[in-house]
Structures are given as structure tokens and as C-alpha cells.
């Protein structure tokens, strides 16, 4: 039974205007129109939104990685829920939508990273059965 009050919408150039009304906290910064255009122009960038009464209350952005030497994988780049909409299952419903689309696309591996102290995110990911692996992250500056 689905008693959630929001719907999940995959964004492309035809429906991007839904991003005109976004709850605080969904994105790290304000959306820049030129950056949005560039993002949506790439078919390997996926963006799912949780929309409630015309307001975007959650987002999940992913990037499809095609490799010459291994199977295609999906990088879950960002997931965010509005400040007043957390702990309601919004992020879980976005993850479920990503899993379904990845299945449809024949993608068998999804990977992501989060900070060790991001307990809510780690809880969300571990509910899927994912196990954290030791890793190093480098931020290159030039």
C-alpha cells in the first residue's frame, strides 16, 4: 500500500519547470539555469524528484558510467530532502525509483559515497543491504 503524499518524477528538458518551486534543503545551492540545461542535455545524467503539491521536496541525481572494460554502472551522485520533509521516506522512495530505472536499463551496480559522520545517509543506504567498504577520497585541485 502506498500512502505517501508525493510522486516521483524523472526530469528532462520537457518538464524542468517543476524545479521552479523547490523546498529549502533539497539542493545544496540555488539552481543555475545554464547548469541545469547542461545537466539535462546529457542523457547519462538522471535526476529524479519527489514532488508534493507542486513543491519539489526531494531529489536524487545519478550518472551512468559506460566503461570499455566492464559493465555499465550507476553513480548515485546526490540525494537530498527538504528541511521540513525529512524522516518521511522521501529519500527511500527516490532510491527505489533509481533501483527500478537501473533494472530497466540493465545496470547491475550502483555506487556512492558519503561522509562517515552522515548517520542518516548511512542508515538509508544500509537499509538496502549495502555494506560500507573502506575507501579513500581525494579532492584534486589545480
Amino acid at each position: 500500500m502506498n500512502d505517501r503524499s508525493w510522486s516521483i518524477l524523472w526530469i528532462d528538458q520537457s518538464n524542468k519547470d517543476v524545479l521552479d518551486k523547490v523546498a529549502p534543503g533539497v539542493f545544496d545551492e540555488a539552481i543555475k539555469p545554464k547548469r541545469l540545461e547542461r545537466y539535462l542535455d546529457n542523457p547519462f545524467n538522471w535526476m529524479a524528484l519527489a514532488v508534493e503539491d507542486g513543491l519539489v521536496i526531494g531529489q536524487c541525481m545519478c550518472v551512468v558510467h559506460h566503461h570499455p572494460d566492464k559493465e555499465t554502472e550507476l553513480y548515485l551522485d546526490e540525494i537530498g530532502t527538504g528541511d521540513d520533509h525529512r524522516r518521511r521516506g522521501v529519500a527511500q522512495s527516490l532510491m527505489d525509483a533509481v533501483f527500478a530505472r537501473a533494472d530497466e536499463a540493465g545496470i547491475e551496480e550502483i555506487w556512492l559515497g558519503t561522509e562517515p559522520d552522515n548517520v542518516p545517509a548511512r542508515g538509508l543506504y544500509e537499509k538496502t543491504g549495502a555494506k560500507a567498504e573502506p575507501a579513500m577520497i581525494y579532492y584534486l585541485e589545480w
Side-chain angles (χ1 to χ4, degrees), residues 16-46:
K16 66 183 177 193
D17 59 324
V18 73
L19 287 163
D20 291 343
K21 191 174 175 191
V22 178
V26 171
F27 290 92
D28 294 333
E29 298 177 19
I31 294 172
K32 310 283 190 289
K34 287 184 180 181
R35 290 180 182 179
L36 177 62
E37 290 289 327
R38 188 170 49 236
Y39 184 89
L40 295 177
D41 278 345
N42 183 339
F44 302 117
N45 290 337
W46 296 357

Side-chain angles (χ1 to χ4, degrees), residues 1-19:
M1 183 167 126
N2 182 355
D3 60 351
R4 70 179 191 217
S5 58
W6 61 88
S7 58
I8 301 298
L9 179 65
W10 288 99
I11 296 302
D12 59 30
Q13 294 289 1
S14 70
N15 61 1
K16 66 183 177 193
D17 59 324
V18 73
L19 287 163

